[in-house]
Amino acid sequence: MEDKQIQFLLNHLRQEIERYLSGLDPNPLWQKLQTRLTAQDRAAYSRRIAQLKTRPQNSRLTDRKDILLLLLYLRGISGKLGEPILGITRITKLLFIAFQELALDTIIKNPYRFVPYKLGPFTPELYTDLKILTDLGIITAHPLDPEGLPIINLDRALATCLANLNSGITATERLDAVNLAFTLTPQGRQIARRLAQNAPRQKKNLLPGLQIVKTNFASLPLTQLLRYVYTRYPEYTTESEIVTKVLGRPAPKLTD
């Protein structure tokens, strides 16, 4: 076979392969993979919950979701255990501060990996974790209306707490970022209480540090919380779409 014929056949084969690949939708494959990974993580954390119930004295903080549960369990500005946290953006920034300033990577085997994004530091892993914890009945996400009030029936104490937390947050911020309030279920409180009892054995300053993070930052208006993060960690503002609004000036130029 002549070289020209071989080249023609190779080009034809390449075109056929490209035509076939272009007709494939990668999303279903990615969705299947993501679903599989989420199912594996859900099963693993379900086993961990069973361990926490049967052998609480041997339970150590190992999973990033443990830190999320502790943040939801500790007291906030209201002084009550289990004070809700408003909005995924706020939870993301609280976890970011906690992992950055408390050196949690030293005790957590699968820490959150934060990257610069539209609102500053972001981790897609949090969305998976919130879904897993909700599916397992460990946390509940309460929908809020644009005024920050619950739109489902809640006990009066929780409804009052949510209303008070929203009192310092502007209507614009509520519309932009606070459409869910996350709180522990009774089972979640039980699990988080056991995690809190064991935490000082691993890291003495962990609970006091998380307490400071929640008390000082969880009830701040979102702009103030973002201003703290943007000012202290400018390397995570490079992709932010609101950095000028938050800081009142363009993001600082970073040098190598």
Side-chain angles (χ1 to χ4, degrees):
M1 187 176 295
E2 295 181 2
D3 290 344
K4 290 184 178 180
Q5 291 178 309
I6 294 175
Q7 188 62 44
F8 173 81
L9 290 174
L10 288 175
N11 288 337
H12 180 71
L13 179 60
R14 178 179 57 80
Q15 293 171 2
E16 289 295 318
I17 292 175
E18 290 178 350
R19 189 178 300 113
Y20 172 75
L21 291 176
S22 66
L24 294 178
D25 184 355
N27 290 328
L29 180 61
W30 167 247
Q31 290 169 0
K32 289 179 182 179
L33 177 60
Q34 186 67 20
T35 300
R36 181 178 178 183
L37 292 174
T38 302
Q40 291 174 345
D41 201 1
R42 184 189 298 112
Y45 206 74
S46 181
R47 292 191 295 271
R48 175 156 176 72
I49 290 170
Q51 180 189 45
L52 287 167
K53 290 180 178 178
T54 57
R55 291 180 291 168
Q57 69 281 2
N58 296 329
S59 302
R60 295 172 60 84
L61 298 171
T62 58
D63 192 286
R64 65 188 182 225
K65 290 182 281 297
D66 298 344
I67 304 301
L68 175 55
L69 294 184
L70 286 176
L71 270 177
L72 287 167
Y73 176 72
L74 292 172
R75 303 177 192 276
I77 197 171
S78 68
K80 296 180 180 179
L81 283 173
E83 180 182 284
I85 297 178
L86 308 181
I88 294 179
T89 300
R90 183 170 279 101
I91 291 181
T92 302
K93 302 309 179 271
L94 295 181
L95 286 169
F96 174 77
I97 293 171
F99 273 86
Q100 290 289 324
E101 303 187 5
L102 299 178
L104 299 183
D105 291 11
T106 60
I107 61 173
I108 300 302
K109 64 181 181 181
N110 58 341
Y112 289 107
R113 295 165 292 183
F114 292 93
V115 296
Y117 200 53
K118 296 180 180 181
L119 297 180
F122 171 76
T123 173
E125 298 155 336
L126 175 59
Y127 289 78
T128 300
D129 288 352
L130 289 171
K131 175 172 174 51
I132 287 172
L133 293 172
T134 302
D135 290 346
L136 292 175
I138 303 300
I139 66 172
T140 301
H142 303 286
L144 305 178
D145 69 13
E147 297 303 316
L149 298 174
I151 60 175
I152 58 176
N153 293 327
L154 300 174
D155 63 86
R156 180 171 296 181
L158 179 54
T160 301
C161 180
L162 292 176
N164 290 338
L165 287 175
N166 268 282
S167 62
I169 300 174
T170 67
T172 300
E173 287 171 338
R174 284 196 290 265
L175 285 170
D176 287 347
V178 186
N179 54 8
L180 290 173
F182 295 92
T183 188
L184 293 170
T185 65
Q187 180 186 197
R189 281 189 175 229
Q190 179 186 19
I191 298 301
R193 186 183 303 115
R194 292 180 176 176
L195 290 171
Q197 290 169 348
N198 289 305
R201 301 175 188 173
Q202 292 178 251
K203 196 173 181 65
K204 186 177 294 186
N205 69 338
L206 175 57
L207 288 183
L210 287 176
Q211 184 67 75
I212 291 171
V213 170
K214 186 167 185 179
T215 303
N216 288 356
F217 298 108
S219 60
L220 281 180
L222 190 59
T223 299
Q224 292 184 30
L225 174 57
L226 291 174
R227 187 175 298 124
Y228 173 84
V229 173
Y230 283 19
T231 302
R232 193 169 178 84
Y233 303 98
E235 65 271 23
Y236 285 90
T237 66
T238 55
E239 302 297 323
S240 174
E241 297 178 347
I242 58 171
V243 62
T244 302
K245 175 183 176 182
V246 171
L247 296 179
R249 61 183 188 276
K253 292 184 179 179
L254 303 177
T255 58
D256 295 334

